[in-house]
Amino acid sequence: MIKDLPVVPSAKAGSMAAAPAGAAWREQHPVIGTACNQCLECTLFCPEGALVQTGGNMTVMLSLCNGCGICAVECRLQAIAMVREYTGVSGVFPLREEKV
Amino acid sequence: MSVMLLTGSEAAAYAAKLARIEVLSYYPITPAFPAMERISKFIEDGELNTEFVRVECDHSALAAALGAALAGSRTFTVSNSQGLLYMTEVMYHVAGLRQPIVMAVANRALSAPHSRFPEHGDAISQDASGWIQLFCENNQEILDTTLQAFKIAETCRLPVMVNYEGYIQSHTQEEVDVPEQKAVDALIPFNRIAALDVNNPQGINTVTGPEFYMDYKYHQNEAMEGALKVIPQVAREFAQVFGRDWQGLVEGYRMEDARHAVVAMGSLVSDARIVVDALRNEGRQVGLVKIRSFRPFPAAALRSMLSAVDMVTVLDKNIIFGAGGALGNDTKAALYGYRSLPVKSYICGLGGRSVGTREIRQMIDLAENRVEQRRDYEWFGL
Amino acid sequence: MTLSIKDLPQEDLFGPGNAGCRGCGAAIAGRQAMKALGPRTIVSIPASCMATLSGSNQRTAWQVPFYHTLFEIAPAVAAGIRAALDAQGIRDVNVVSWAGDAGTADIGFQSLSGAAERNDAIIHVCYDNEMYMNTNGQTGSQTPLYAITSNQRKGKQTCKKDMLAIMLAHGIGYAASASISHPLDLIAKLKKAAARRSFSYVHILTPCYRGWGIPTDQSVAVARKAVECGLWELYEVEDGVRRRTYEPSFIPVAEYLAPQGRFKNLTADKIQEMQDAVNRYYHREEGKA
């Protein structure tokens, strides 16, 4: 079956956001703590635009986040913590260094 | 209409002007540069309202033309030989992006050894590039075909090369009927399609995987096959308005009751007409088939032209090393499985070696007198 | 007027869903830049990481017209787009050619130089990860001295070509360096470039965790260290007037170099050699870190 394709090889603007690839191989994700003062700096350092201010709160759009951890490193108030995804054995039994 | 004494270069330039090109981009090369300079003069004299991108190389010339075409402008460029080879990467890219750029090509031999003289090797090097390739036999046809090229390109959404030979055509004056602007406007109205448009944003040429690439190529080839219908259609429309009928894909000249057909393209055709007339006067049943569209190759139209002849002689101003002449090979491929008849293939006129009426006649005589060619193709004029 | 994050548009014209690696510096640069350039922008990007992560099959991460060009031609294409817009009387659109260090300084240099010399009204952005990262990280002209690459395991033995100096030698009206670690500085520079009707050049440092041998969360931090140690000077040259846009704190260059895998071969002598070069450049006392 021959695919019906546009004459000029092209893609609809913004269409990647609908099916982001990165979230599938994410190993950790940010959780924003109460120390956040909504300075918005992290929003400019996220490669995916996964950190957004909505309704006066900072939200992590997990569908976009691929877990690089830049936001947690860059936050001046250390208000962002990276939390491991469930990743098999290491998810069930957190690695030793993560034990408090 | 007004009749002017124009070189082939000027004929191409007048056509670009009459087509009201919006963007022009080129990088100077011999012998294409007079066409370039003539269009620039039109712009500088205020006779043509066109943006000129004065690029730093041939590769960028076609790249700039491509950017302009993607942004929706009618775009023209000129080149040949080394410039065309340098553009090759962009040639395939333009075709794959289905942009209707028209390029005039003043055919010239390829280096090495260095040559600045006419032959078709440069055009033939682009035979798989996805560009429609039309060949012209005289300066009137250069003007008329360049005008038609815009309509063909914009209808098929494919780029078009209009080929004419360096010096033999680019630098030689002939009487050319230059059409009225109004009539040209009516024949080739411009329907703007912008792939790059801030009001309708799209990502162009995203990385394409095995699940899509082949389908794009299928559609591209279908467009090329579709050009086999569009080219004659545009030629007919043109003839209805201007009275000059270039016949579209192929033209048979004195092919009625011909036993021996000569197949050629480009400047050889006008000389071959004279030879055929002379041979007919001597009672020899020789006809001529002019190939106007080299890509897409009009195999079916050519077969029908050759349906009753006893032999075919193909003249090629190019050589595909180790394989023969491009037109000879394509002619044989078109006939294979339909008719079994001798096809003699001659490589001639490379790098500007003279091929006139005398030489064409010699090749026809050779073909008729020698039963078997030593090889699938022979060199003439060494 | 100082820019504030709160003044920037929240809307992302590039980014969401892009297929970049974790912590991709190039993607960060793209997001920051689009905060300055806005929706009436056309972007041409040659073969590169940025073109690859920007679109795949029928999808793209751009909200503005984006065209994935051949490797050498992004500036020439941009020039053609500008010509077409001019021909059509469209005056309010930014045309940007956005290339990596190869598409800018090496394979793309000829068409870039041509567009700069013609003073075409386009912005060329070089996002510089200092290696050919889309093909696994080979050496290029923007690879710095001593950096290990995938085809020079002993490190590069020649210096990084100074693209800003070269572009300024074209007599262009605006050229600037930038870093993803200083987004407001970057955004202000692109806004300046966009406000002009002439050729502008912006060269952005965009670390790549794979090529540089750093953790994915360090892309921005390491770019900041490059600025703070003085090796990556943030400046602009506007109509011939040069201005440093950020005064570094002059942390030791070792703090920038040592954590990077690509500099693991650096000896103390070589680090000192680079520290001395920085000190000389900024007219600081010899030996002072």
Side-chain angles (χ1 to χ4, degrees):
Chain A
M1 179 72 178
I2 301 149
K3 291 183 184 71
D4 189 20
L5 295 168
V7 173
V8 180
S10 52
K12 191 172 164 287
S15 44
M16 261 180 145
W25 36 264
R26 184 177 64 224
E27 293 171 348
Q28 54 176 2
H29 67 266
V31 173
I32 299 167
T34 51
C36 172
N37 67 352
Q38 301 198 44
C39 72
L40 303 182
E41 274 200 16
C42 59
T43 64
L44 292 178
F45 294 129
C46 176
E48 293 282 340
L51 295 152
V52 291
Q53 188 182 37
T54 47
N57 286 307
M58 288 307 298
T59 311
V60 181
M61 294 170 72
L62 288 175
S63 62
L64 298 175
C65 173
N66 61 24
C68 67
I70 288 175
C71 53
V73 168
E74 294 304 319
C75 179
R76 293 176 202 235
L77 300 174
Q78 295 175 308
I80 303 176
M82 295 305 291
V83 175
R84 285 188 160 268
E85 302 291 335
Y86 174 85
T87 51
V89 171
S90 68
V92 176
F93 305 103
L95 298 175
R96 195 178 306 140
E97 59 268 26
E98 287 181 346
K99 285 181 181 169
V100 180
Chain B
M1 290 191 201
S2 60
V3 175
M4 301 173 75
L5 203 55
L6 298 181
T7 63
S9 304
E10 291 168 327
Y14 269 91
K17 173 174 177 279
L18 286 165
R20 298 185 191 272
I21 57 169
E22 291 183 332
V23 177
L24 169 72
S25 180
Y26 62 71
Y27 190 71
I29 189 165
T30 302
F33 70 83
M36 305 167 177
E37 290 178 335
R38 189 67 192 88
I39 308 175
S40 283
K41 188 171 188 310
F42 283 137
I43 298 170
E44 288 182 340
D45 290 350
E47 294 179 53
L48 180 60
N49 183 18
T50 294
E51 295 291 326
F52 171 46
V53 191
R54 179 186 51 79
V55 289
E56 78 297 330
C57 71
D58 321 85
H59 194 277
S60 288
L62 192 54
L66 173 56
L70 284 166
S73 278
R74 183 176 272 181
T75 303
F76 186 70
T77 188
V78 191
S79 191
N80 58 247
S81 63
Q82 305 311 121
L84 200 58
L85 287 193
Y86 191 18
M87 284 178 183
T88 300
E89 184 195 22
V90 196
M91 295 287 287
Y92 280 71
H93 192 61
V94 166
L97 292 174
R98 307 285 304 275
Q99 293 305 303
I101 296 170
V102 174
M103 170 159 50
V105 183
N107 303 121
R108 165 185 150 185
L110 299 172
S111 185
H114 188 89
S115 167
R116 65 176 69 92
F117 296 105
E119 66 157 72
H120 288 156
D122 56 357
I124 302 307
S125 78
Q126 304 302 318
D127 69 340
S129 66
W131 283 59
I132 291 171
Q133 287 204 40
L134 307 175
F135 280 78
C136 307
E137 65 170 297
N138 59 36
N139 295 354
Q140 183 71 61
E141 191 179 14
I142 295 171
L143 188 148
D144 293 353
T145 300
T146 306
L147 289 177
Q148 292 178 31
F150 285 98
K151 184 144 198 170
I152 295 164
E154 288 157 15
T155 305
C156 300
R157 302 293 299 165
L158 287 172
V160 180
M161 283 165 66
V162 179
N163 292 289
Y164 53 94
E165 278 154 71
Y167 299 112
I168 295 172
Q169 292 170 283
S170 70
H171 284 59
T172 306
Q173 289 184 321
E174 290 177 353
E175 280 187 2
V176 175
D177 205 333
V178 180
E180 295 292 336
Q181 183 69 59
K182 231 186 229 174
V184 174
D185 289 345
L187 184 77
I188 54 169
F190 182 52
N191 174 29
R192 191 183 307 288
I193 299 174
L196 294 172
D197 177 2
V198 288
N199 298 317
N200 178 27
Q202 301 180 92
I204 306 299
N205 192 36
T206 49
V207 179
T208 299
E211 63 273 48
F212 290 104
Y213 184 89
M214 195 164 166
D215 301 68
Y216 274 119
K217 292 294 123 178
Y218 173 83
H219 288 298
Q220 187 182 339
N221 189 62
E222 281 297 290
M224 202 65 162
E225 293 284 344
L228 289 169
K229 290 196 180 68
V230 175
I231 294 166
Q233 173 64 31
V234 172
R236 275 195 297 277
E237 286 172 32
F238 187 92
Q240 279 161 15
V241 179
F242 298 108
R244 291 186 294 274
D245 189 353
W246 298 103
Q247 304 271 317
L249 306 169
V250 296
E251 180 202 337
Y253 181 68
R254 305 195 75 166
M255 281 299 291
E256 64 286 348
D257 76 6
R259 313 307 317 164
H260 182 179
V262 177
V263 177
M265 60 188 187
S267 72
L268 287 170
V269 171
S270 48
D271 281 338
R273 286 183 198 274
I274 295 166
V275 176
V276 165
D277 285 345
L279 295 175
R280 285 285 183 167
N281 286 342
E282 294 166 22
R284 290 166 67 178
Q285 289 172 290
V286 178
L288 169 69
V289 179
K290 165 185 173 176
I291 302 291
R292 183 162 178 261
S293 169
F294 172 65
R295 287 291 178 272
F297 192 74
L302 179 61
R303 268 199 300 277
S304 113
M305 284 283 170
L306 301 177
S307 61
V309 299
D310 298 328
M311 73 175 297
V312 180
T313 297
V314 188
L315 313 184
D316 261 300
K317 272 196 177 184
N318 67 84
I319 174 70
I320 302 170
F321 299 101
L327 198 49
N329 291 347
D330 284 352
T331 301
K332 288 174 193 171
L335 291 171
Y336 185 81
Y338 292 89
R339 288 206 63 202
S340 179
L341 75 171
V343 178
K344 308 289 178 70
S345 172
Y346 289 99
I347 309 299
C348 62
L350 298 190
R353 185 152 301 186
S354 182
V355 185
T357 51
R358 189 183 59 179
E359 289 79 11
I360 292 170
R361 185 180 176 123
Q362 284 171 350
M363 282 185 274
I364 292 170
D365 288 344
L366 259 178
E368 288 187 4
N369 294 334
R370 191 180 289 162
V371 180
E372 292 274 331
Q373 283 198 311
R374 275 172 300 171
R375 283 192 296 200
D376 289 344
Y377 54 95
E378 277 186 8
W379 290 65
F380 176 86
L382 290 172
Chain C
M1 189 193 74
T2 317
L3 266 177
S4 156
I5 292 181
K6 316 263 179 200
D7 300 333
L8 299 177
Q10 287 236 344
E11 179 195 17
D12 266 318
L13 296 170
F14 164 78
N18 79 75
C21 304
R22 279 186 197 132
C24 175
I28 295 170
R31 284 196 57 242
Q32 293 176 357
M34 288 314 292
K35 303 283 181 194
L37 296 168
R40 293 189 72 77
T41 298
I42 298 175
V43 184
S44 68
I45 306 181
S48 58
C49 286
M50 193 68 176
T52 306
L53 64 86
S54 284
S56 184
N57 286 339
Q58 309 261 278
R59 296 183 191 280
T60 174
W62 290 91
Q63 291 283 5
V64 297
F66 146 66
Y67 162 38
H68 176 181
T69 77
L70 297 168
F71 212 165
E72 317 88 324
I73 64 171
V77 162
I81 293 168
R82 174 59 75 199
L85 296 178
D86 284 349
Q88 296 168 38
I90 301 168
R91 307 276 173 215
D92 62 342
V93 171
N94 300 314
V95 181
V96 178
S97 65
W98 178 288
D101 38 300
T104 297
D106 300 334
I107 190 169
F109 182 69
Q110 177 171 311
S111 66
L112 173 63
S113 179
E117 182 274 328
R118 291 189 302 272
N119 199 24
D120 288 326
I122 63 171
I123 303 167
H124 183 89
V125 175
C126 174
Y127 77 93
D128 185 3
N129 52 33
E130 304 194 317
M131 292 179 193
Y132 296 165
M133 282 321 306
N134 202 34
T135 49
N136 200 40
Q138 297 80 11
T139 303
S141 76
Q142 294 304 291
T143 304
L145 185 65
Y146 304 138
I148 295 166
T149 65
S150 70
N151 62 349
Q152 284 195 303
R153 295 290 169 186
K154 291 177 180 168
K156 191 190 179 194
Q157 296 304 312
T158 54
C159 289
K160 182 179 172 103
K161 182 164 89 178
D162 185 347
M163 275 306 292
L164 276 148
I166 292 168
M167 295 316 293
L168 285 164
H170 288 76
I172 60 176
Y174 188 77
S177 65
S179 165
I180 56 166
S181 57
H182 293 69
L184 294 181
D185 177 78
L186 182 153
I187 289 165
K189 285 167 176 169
L190 278 165
K191 276 180 178 284
K192 274 192 185 176
R196 304 175 69 95
R197 289 289 297 176
S198 54
F199 187 92
S200 299
Y201 179 80
V202 179
H203 195 120
I204 307 174
L205 186 66
T206 60
C208 165
Y209 89 89
R210 291 185 61 227
W212 292 29
I214 55 173
T216 62
D217 60 8
Q218 292 297 306
S219 301
V220 174
V222 78
R224 184 176 295 108
K225 285 177 184 166
V227 173
E228 294 292 1
C229 78
L231 277 171
W232 191 262
E233 185 190 11
L234 295 181
Y235 68 100
E236 66 184 4
V237 180
E238 194 174 2
D239 298 320
V241 180
R242 190 186 200 279
R243 186 174 76 88
R244 189 174 296 151
T245 58
Y246 179 81
E247 286 301 327
S249 60
F250 295 109
I251 61 171
V253 294
E255 282 189 29
Y256 167 62
L257 300 170
Q260 297 182 49
R262 63 175 177 158
F263 290 120
K264 68 181 178 192
N265 288 352
L266 276 190
T267 58
D269 284 357
K270 283 180 173 165
I271 291 175
Q272 189 58 47
E273 179 191 311
M274 290 168 94
Q275 185 66 61
D276 291 345
V278 167
N279 291 346
R280 273 195 306 279
Y281 181 83
Y282 290 94
H283 305 295
R284 292 168 59 79
E285 290 166 45
E286 282 297 320
K288 189 174 167 186

